Amino acid sequence: DNTGDLERRLEEVGRVFGGSLLELLHARNSIPPSSLPKENATSKSAKYSGGSPLLYQAQAGIRYAPNGVVRYTRILDVLRFLYTTVWRYLFNKQATDLQQSNENDDEYMLSDDEAHLWIGKHVSVPKEMGHLNVYAWLGGVVQGVLDGAGFPCRVTAHFVPTGEDDAAAVAKKEAGEAMAKSRHQRVTLLIKLDAEVMARERELESAASSLLL
């Protein structure tokens, strides 16, 4: 399948780019060791300019390495980094939405309207490859960032007609059901975190809860 092979190659190129992008953004966000905060905690009262309610649940999961480079330990903090910092670097805006799956706690959906993304605007897909998903590259970028940050996962890109629930549309796509074409579509990246990430998250959550007792 030429289309499938090309999408896998796009994903691979995206993963390499995502790993390099993470290093660049970490370098930009690093601070001198002498300026390291005494308490490495993310304020839960931080205000965000709209977006997903998940972002208001920022946890104390940001740490600094001895060289002043930021490191993420909690899932929501690294997803917030994707939703805001990475998206602003790529598209000059934050993503439209971030949701957690209602059925699987290891799945998250990062979404944006296709009209806001430059990728599809600059790629001409031949008629014989009409079903090529060029956003496989973006899925690869997100996977590269998360893998490099210590959150191994699998990321797949899906189209969701505007107005349809992201989770329901992704379920249809995975079940092989046809999706109606729409001039206005949302690109949803389904992020499925590895079991080791979820196990670490539970341990950190348990440790944080014990400190409050």
Side-chain angles (χ1 to χ4, degrees):
D1 183 357
N2 292 335
T3 300
D5 289 342
L6 185 52
E7 288 181 358
R8 284 188 287 273
R9 291 172 63 185
L10 286 171
E11 288 178 0
E12 181 57 32
V13 172
R15 282 195 292 272
V16 174
F17 177 84
S20 299
L21 178 59
L22 176 65
E23 294 180 5
L24 170 64
L25 295 178
H26 272 175
R28 286 187 172 185
N29 293 333
S30 63
I31 60 176
S34 60
S35 302
L36 288 175
K38 295 181 180 180
E39 295 183 4
N40 296 312
T42 301
S43 172
K44 291 188 177 182
S45 61
K47 295 182 179 180
Y48 304 98
S49 57
S52 168
L54 280 179
L55 301 189
Y56 290 86
Q57 301 175 27
Q59 303 163 356
I62 298 179
R63 299 289 183 267
Y64 291 91
N67 60 359
V69 176
V70 67
R71 290 289 182 265
Y72 298 96
T73 60
R74 303 300 296 269
I75 292 172
L76 288 183
D77 287 305
V78 75
L79 291 178
R80 181 163 67 90
F81 170 70
L82 273 171
Y83 183 100
T84 55
T85 304
V86 172
W87 233 248
R88 286 188 182 122
Y89 182 86
L90 292 173
F91 307 111
N92 202 32
K93 64 179 290 294
Q94 70 180 28
T96 299
D97 195 19
L98 174 65
Q99 300 179 32
Q100 184 175 21
S101 169
N102 293 325
E103 299 179 357
N104 302 302
D105 61 359
D106 62 347
E107 292 182 352
Y108 290 83
M109 287 161 286
L110 182 63
S111 304
D112 207 340
D113 293 332
E114 187 180 15
H116 298 157
L117 308 178
W118 50 259
I119 300 169
K121 298 177 182 179
H122 300 287
V123 177
S124 297
V125 179
K127 291 183 178 180
E128 62 271 19
M129 304 185 79
H131 295 292
L132 175 67
N133 184 356
V134 297
Y135 292 96
W137 177 84
L138 184 58
V141 172
V142 169
Q143 184 168 335
V145 170
L146 289 174
D147 285 349
F151 294 80
C153 61
R154 176 77 178 108
V155 181
T156 52
H158 305 268
F159 284 112
V160 180
T162 301
E164 184 167 3
D165 178 73
D166 285 357
V170 170
K172 285 183 180 179
K173 178 68 177 293
E174 292 183 335
E177 296 182 25
M179 296 179 64
K181 281 288 183 180
S182 171
R183 289 182 59 193
H184 305 288
Q185 294 192 101
R186 174 173 290 189
V187 177
T188 293
L189 303 178
L190 177 63
I191 302 168
K192 187 171 183 63
L193 297 163
D194 284 6
E196 63 184 83
V197 176
M198 301 309 298
R200 182 180 67 205
E201 183 74 10
R202 287 190 290 270
E203 290 176 2
L204 291 172
E205 183 67 33
S206 178
S209 298
S210 65
L211 291 176
L212 298 177
L213 297 178

